[in-house]
Amino acid sequence: MRIGVPKEIKNHEYRVGLTPPSAAELVAAGHEVIVETQAGMGIDFEDQDYVEAGARIVPDARAVFAESDMIVKVKEPQAGEIALLEPRHTLFTYLHLAADKPQAEGLMKSGATCIAYETVTSDSRTLPLLKPMSEVAGRMSVQVGAHYLEKEQGGRGVLLGGVPGVAPARVAILGGGVAGVNAAQMAVGMRADVTIYDINNDRLAELDMFFSSQIKTAYASKAAIAAAVRNAHLVIGAVLIPGAAAPKLVTRDMLPTMKRGSVLVDIAIDQGGCFETSHATTHDDPVYEVDGVIHYCVANMPGAVARTSTFALNNATLPFALRLANLGAEKAMAADRHLAEGLNVSGGKIRHRAVAEALDLPFN
Ligand SMILES: NC(=O)c1ccc[n+]([C@@H]2O[C@H](COP(=O)([O-])OP(=O)(O)OC[C@H]3O[C@@H](n4cnc5c(N)ncnc54)[C@H](O)[C@@H]3O)[C@@H](O)[C@H]2O)c1
């Protein structure tokens, strides 16, 4: 199969669909890999790295789409890219169609087979192609939280880990899933005083076993969250109700009870946010203040560490990309129901029930 990798064109997106090592794996399996010039430039992958991996460099996205059967990307296709899609193409990337009707209609019109990373499933009932980005965002949340707690950044002037003779900062993590656990690992590593709140008691028991005495766990009742928010220096929102908007766990009226200069990091902002006062921000202008509390609500946190994120994403996507290339999209999905769950659009129709329902379009 001919596999194309265009340069990402969304603002501030430096990730790339295939790393040079992933391209080499596909070439070794007998496929042709076609990469737009400078596709990986933002994260220091030179064209020469792709050439050494056995890929071919072409001058623009038009050539990538014209010469490829499958397109591997990171972000949802932009209007100019959708215009280049044809019925013969398989598109493998994040789509997030449920909140993007114009994109869904564009993909339907293209006739292409569009497989979304975010709806591919696994036996363990997780979303394996979302997981790496939750790992990155969870780990980053503590890094940015510690940064904004610094006085010069408008924060309270508190060191996350304290020092001998001075107590560490208190970190409350709402949601003990993938992002929450990764946040906890970083916060524990920095010697903060960490509590994880969740409503899933089995999950709380697992966390208790996993972290032992390094953290505390608590059931996420309204009262427990109100008390947590009052006492914490850093609150990390990492909840997820699959397919639904994030619940507003920290309400507007809780903010005046918080310490001035404390920090809220809302990882769940891509699902609407779990703090009532959250609104999405960008890496250009990541924070704002409400009642003296700093809010960090960047919707694509992994973009800030684009090199790590690209490798992490490739680790998860490559096995699926190989299967799609080896068998062709139709046979690969027939052989793997988890990959088939990734199918969102094909032949001009919406093929994913939840996406169809969210967009109020017919499901086929
Ligand atoms: N901002 C970003 O750049 C970025 C990047 C990756 C992921 N995310 C988002 O991070 C969030 C977490 O993702 P994840 O992969 O860790 O999800 P996950 O499913 O692994 O974990 C979510 C956890 O939230 C818990 N939960 C649900 N409702 C709750 C409630 N009312 N109170 C307390 N806990 C509750 C669940 O029991 C679960 O343990 C998602 O919204 C995801 O979209 C954001």
Side-chain angles (χ1 to χ4, degrees):
M1 189 184 271
R2 298 173 304 168
I3 300 143
V5 185
K7 181 170 162 54
E8 294 294 322
I9 53 177
K10 201 168 175 181
N11 201 14
H12 289 291
E13 184 53 71
Y14 302 105
R15 289 173 290 178
V16 60
L18 291 178
T19 61
S22 295
E25 296 278 338
L26 285 157
V27 170
H31 305 292
E32 194 182 341
V33 177
I34 298 149
V35 181
E36 182 177 349
T37 183
Q38 302 197 332
M41 180 185 67
I43 50 173
D44 206 23
F45 296 150
E46 303 287 342
D47 284 356
Q48 189 55 29
D49 298 329
Y50 284 103
V51 170
E52 284 167 18
R56 183 158 58 86
I57 303 293
V58 295
D60 52 28
R62 186 170 291 280
V64 172
F65 281 72
E67 296 182 36
S68 306
D69 310 304
M70 175 162 78
I71 304 294
V72 181
K73 273 176 54 62
V74 179
K75 296 303 283 187
E76 70 279 5
Q78 307 298 294
E81 294 172 313
I82 293 175
L84 298 174
L85 281 171
E86 295 175 27
R88 64 187 178 80
H89 281 128
T90 296
L91 174 67
F92 191 39
T93 189
Y94 286 119
L95 292 176
H96 296 292
L97 286 183
D100 191 350
K101 202 164 189 173
Q103 191 206 159
E105 288 171 343
L107 295 179
M108 288 163 74
K109 206 167 146 213
S110 77
T113 299
C114 306
I115 303 172
Y117 291 161
E118 71 273 6
T119 61
V120 172
T121 55
S122 73
D123 280 338
S124 56
R125 294 198 293 167
T126 58
L127 300 171
L129 305 189
L130 266 189
K131 191 176 171 200
M133 295 305 102
S134 291
E135 291 170 341
V136 169
R139 290 186 178 213
M140 238 188 101
S141 67
V142 174
Q143 189 169 313
V144 297
H147 177 65
Y148 286 107
L149 276 171
E150 291 173 13
K151 197 68 203 161
E152 284 305 310
Q153 306 304 324
R156 191 163 176 80
V158 166
L159 182 63
L160 213 57
V163 287
V166 182
R170 285 184 290 279
V171 178
I173 300 173
L174 313 182
V178 177
V181 164
N182 278 274
Q185 286 176 319
M186 293 303 106
V188 163
M190 290 172 87
R191 299 194 174 200
D193 176 349
V194 182
T195 308
I196 304 182
Y197 298 80
D198 207 299
I199 47 170
N200 177 339
N201 286 315
D202 292 336
R203 186 65 182 159
L204 289 174
E206 281 168 17
L207 295 171
D208 183 69
M209 290 284 282
F210 180 72
F211 284 103
S212 187
S213 57
Q214 289 181 305
I215 61 153
K216 286 159 271 184
T217 58
Y219 186 82
S221 64
K222 281 193 172 60
I225 290 175
V229 164
R230 209 162 45 235
N231 291 324
H233 300 93
L234 170 59
V235 181
I236 294 171
V239 297
L240 177 66
I241 302 174
K248 304 291 180 212
L249 300 182
V250 176
T251 50
R252 178 73 184 76
D253 56 311
M254 291 180 189
L255 257 58
T257 72
M258 293 184 70
K259 298 178 198 313
R260 284 192 72 77
S262 52
V263 177
L264 296 177
V265 177
D266 200 344
I267 306 179
I269 190 66
D270 61 339
Q271 301 293 330
C274 59
F275 310 138
E276 202 173 30
T277 44
S278 292
H279 63 75
T281 59
T282 61
H283 291 296
D284 276 343
D285 191 9
V287 292
Y288 60 94
E289 209 181 292
V290 182
D291 288 350
V293 175
I294 298 179
H295 291 53
Y296 176 100
C297 306
V298 174
N300 69 330
M301 294 173 71
V305 288
R307 198 174 155 94
T308 300
S309 298
T310 297
F311 280 108
L313 182 61
N314 266 242
N315 290 347
T317 56
L318 181 63
F320 293 103
L322 272 166
R323 257 174 267 158
L324 285 165
N326 290 344
L327 299 173
E330 206 165 309
K331 280 190 185 153
M333 288 190 284
D336 180 347
R337 67 186 171 87
H338 293 305
L339 181 57
E341 286 291 333
L343 183 65
N344 278 214
V345 180
S346 72
K349 300 203 159 70
I350 301 282
R351 305 291 185 184
H352 194 282
R353 187 182 295 277
V355 170
E357 282 171 5
L359 293 173
D360 204 15
L361 287 170
F363 164 64
N364 285 272

